[in-house]
């Protein structure tokens, strides 16, 4: 059984700050920033490709609730919602989870997205491939 399934079953402890029938939300053990929380569906679904209703909706609804809870209790006003699906994307626990990552002016998070000039020929080709 995976580590998050064990947390869901209360076989290992967690700092759960919100839960309902479909999700459990607990503090990330490594706190990338203060208040860093994981939203986890209460079914072992591996990643975004496996996510299904009613868990899909429950995850985003819980993310909004947790974000507002962190705003109310910690004064958080900046947040990244982040999912890593697949090991190349940085997924280390193979049970879908959404990171609620509060952001502060002095934090050490750096997503470092490279900006390119738009290439409309490539965009056109890509769009046709995806939408056909
Ligand atoms: P990811 O790299 O997106 O798969 O994120 C996995 C996250 O799970 C990491 O941020 C870990 O710190 C966190 N994590 C692993 N084990 C636990 C645990 N027992 N309780 C809380 N968070 C955990
Ligand atoms: Zn699991």
């Amino acid at each position: 059984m995976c580590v998050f399934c064990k947390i869901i079953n209360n076989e290992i402890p967690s700092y759960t700050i919100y839960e309902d029938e479909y999700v459990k939300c607990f503090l990330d053990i490594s706190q990338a920033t203060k208040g860093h929380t994981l939203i986890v569906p209460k079914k072992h679904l591996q990643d975004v490709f496996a996510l299904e209703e009613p868990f899909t909706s429950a995850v985003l609804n819980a993310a909004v609730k947790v974000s507002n809870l962190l705003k109310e209790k910690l004064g958080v006003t900046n947040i990244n919602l982040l999912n890593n699906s697949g090991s190349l994307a940085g997924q280390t626990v193979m049970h879908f989870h959404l990171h609620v990552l509060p952001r502060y002016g002095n934090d050490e998070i750096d997503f470092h997205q490279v900006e390119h000039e738009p290439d409309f020929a490539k965009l056109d080709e890509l769009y046709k491939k995806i939408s056909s």
Side-chain angles (χ1 to χ4, degrees), residues 17 27 31 33-37 66-77 102 104:
I17 60 170
L27 297 179
Q31 292 293 285
T33 60
K34 184 179 170 187
H36 182 190
T37 302
V66 165
S67 296
N68 282 305
L69 185 64
L70 297 175
K71 182 180 180 185
E72 186 189 326
K73 303 289 187 179
L74 301 181
V76 169
T77 53
Y104 305 96

Side-chain angles (χ1 to χ4, degrees), residues 7-10 14-26 37-42 58 62 65-66 69:
I7 287 175
I8 289 161
N9 292 339
N10 295 314
S14 67
Y15 293 97
T16 294
I17 60 170
Y18 173 78
E19 74 180 306
D20 61 27
E21 190 179 350
Y22 301 115
V23 294
K24 193 167 175 95
C25 309
F26 49 88
T37 302
L38 301 176
I39 316 284
V40 178
K42 288 182 174 177
K65 287 200 170 83
V66 165
L69 185 64

Side-chain angles (χ1 to χ4, degrees), residues 22-23 25 39-41 51 54-64 96-98:
Y22 301 115
V23 294
C25 309
I39 316 284
V40 178
L51 201 55
F55 301 98
T56 313
S57 303
V59 162
L60 194 53
N61 280 318
V64 172
F96 179 93
H97 49 284
L98 189 65

Side-chain angles (χ1 to χ4, degrees), residues 1-6 8 43-45 94-95:
M1 193 186 288
C2 91
V3 63
F4 289 172
C5 284
K6 285 180 183 161
I8 289 161
K43 179 176 179 184
H44 186 86
L45 303 168
M94 296 300 165
H95 180 140

Side-chain angles (χ1 to χ4, degrees), residues 3-4 7 26-30 38 84 90-93 97 99:
V3 63
F4 289 172
I7 287 175
F26 49 88
L27 297 179
D28 191 295
I29 207 164
S30 77
L38 301 176
N84 301 323
Q91 185 175 10
T92 58
V93 177
H97 49 284
H99 296 259

